Amino acid sequence: MAVYKGFEPVIGLEVHAQLFTESKMFCGCKSEYGAEANTLTCPVCLALPGALPVLNKKAVEFAMRMIAAVGGKVHRRSVFARKNYFYPDLPKGYQISQFDKPIGEGGAIEYHSGNGSRKRCRLTRIHLEEDAGKSLHPEHGEGFTRVDLNRCGTPLIEIVSEPEMESPEEAYGYLTKLKQILQYIEVCSGDMEKGHLRCDANVSVRPVGSEKLGTRTELKNMNSFKGVERALKFEIVRQIDLIKAGGKVEQMTLLWDEKKQVAEPMRSKEESHDYRYFPEPDLVNLVIGDAWIESVRLSLPEMPDVRADRFVSQYDLRTYDAAVLTDSRALADYYEQVMTHFDDARAASNWIQTELLALLKDNKQELHDCLVSPEMLGELLSKVKSGDISGKMAKTVFEAMFATGKAPDVIIKEKGLVQVSDESSLIPIIEKVIAAYPDNVAKYRGGKAKLFGFFVGQVMKETDGQANPQTVNKLLKERLDG
Ligand SMILES: [Zn+2]
């Protein structure tokens, strides 16, 4: 537990995840990021008089996937509610959300706490709601604020945790895991820059050992997980300093300013009764049958931690490597496909982590853009293992495969990269090198062991780097030491 000057923080997170359905939550408009402003709207999401909402079944299914993925309970009956507030980007004057009867309750996220141990944070609830539009403020304080209603009515789930996290680092670990789960079950891109994932944090402090929760404040406007961590650190210190100076923490909402690295008060925090929630009269209760819940549960993929544990036992990988390889579902799938064409699990793991991930990063590419298929990589690694090519050559071949998408055989042939392991062709070269440097041979035999590398280098030079180094070492030793 992190201790700050005799106080301990208590943190809860509210995460909004935009569901990647094709259409919006209550109308047929496309749900798409980056389209021209106000081109994806209709009478329903513009709240024109008489327009009525129709619920998107896919959004419900996506919410159910998330609830099942975290071990929560899908309620057989849930109710949509109006959350009333005014905002320029909310044409209806209310948001359709869920209040006292959400679609999901309970469950937990298991995450890495930052100090190497795994922790568990329970979830209070997961509910469905629609998003508001976006206000586009002028960058330099001049001109008008404009409104884009394309986002109005896109489906969200809000995932509310219990206040069980004890440090900003834990909050970071929780968010990282939450995003990974959302991506694994393919309901949300997890892209914070595009606003597909947004996080508000509640935080309070209390003297170490105290059971009673302090007054909490809410932090908004963080646009990265690291930003959440920094905002929490700032706010925890602010609250503690305030209490130590004899002041009292007041319940309010603060906006994090990433540039200034400070959280500034925005408004006193609304209570839920300020929103005048009431059941949405334009929608019937959402009733979900057991068969649907069961089929959603069965459709879930293997979850990241389970998969990482399986990688450790099935492929005999280190825990760290298994975690890297299962970081995304696509990478884990890639690895397992390579393993259907190759039989050295650790070699494949190393190659993917060092060579493949580095090239992807250098070229700012995602795995799905990669021209090297798992089958091709399996083939290449088999050639290294059998000694047909050296590890060094393989890197050259791999870079060419990555750039061109050509098969390893084709590139090896094009570049003439064949490793010579055959002793009968190496022996004459080695004998030639030994004969050419009698002085060095004498020095080596006289105890200058370092000179061995010199002979290896000469042989490699003679063979344009194509000699198998292991074979060269062996043959040289036989001749120089023998
Ligand atoms: Zn619409």
Side-chain angles (χ1 to χ4, degrees), residues 24 27 29 41-42 45:
K24 293 188 182 179
C27 62
C29 290
T41 59
C42 74
C45 52

Side-chain angles (χ1 to χ4, degrees), residues 346-362:
R346 289 200 176 195
S349 160
N350 289 341
W351 192 276
I352 287 174
Q353 287 185 63
T354 50
E355 309 303 327
L356 177 65
L357 291 184
L359 278 185
L360 286 171
K361 200 176 162 211
D362 291 348

Side-chain angles (χ1 to χ4, degrees), residues 178-246:
L178 182 65
K179 175 178 158 179
Q180 189 188 33
I181 295 172
L182 286 164
Q183 289 174 329
Y184 253 75
I185 62 173
E186 294 174 324
V187 302
C188 172
S189 73
D191 193 335
M192 269 190 114
E193 269 173 37
K194 293 182 178 163
H196 294 169
L197 203 63
R198 282 166 260 159
C199 173
D200 300 333
N202 291 301
V203 58
S204 63
V205 298
R206 62 185 173 192
V208 172
S210 163
E211 286 294 309
K212 201 171 148 263
L213 289 172
T215 304
R216 67 194 177 128
T217 57
E218 188 177 14
L219 288 162
K220 283 183 183 287
N221 201 39
M222 293 81 78
N223 49 22
S224 67
F225 292 169
K226 279 287 168 201
V228 172
E229 196 180 326
R230 286 191 287 267
L232 281 166
K233 280 184 181 158
F234 173 89
E235 176 58 8
I236 289 164
V237 171
R238 187 192 71 89
Q239 289 187 12
I240 292 170
D241 289 349
L242 187 63
I243 294 169
K244 287 198 151 181

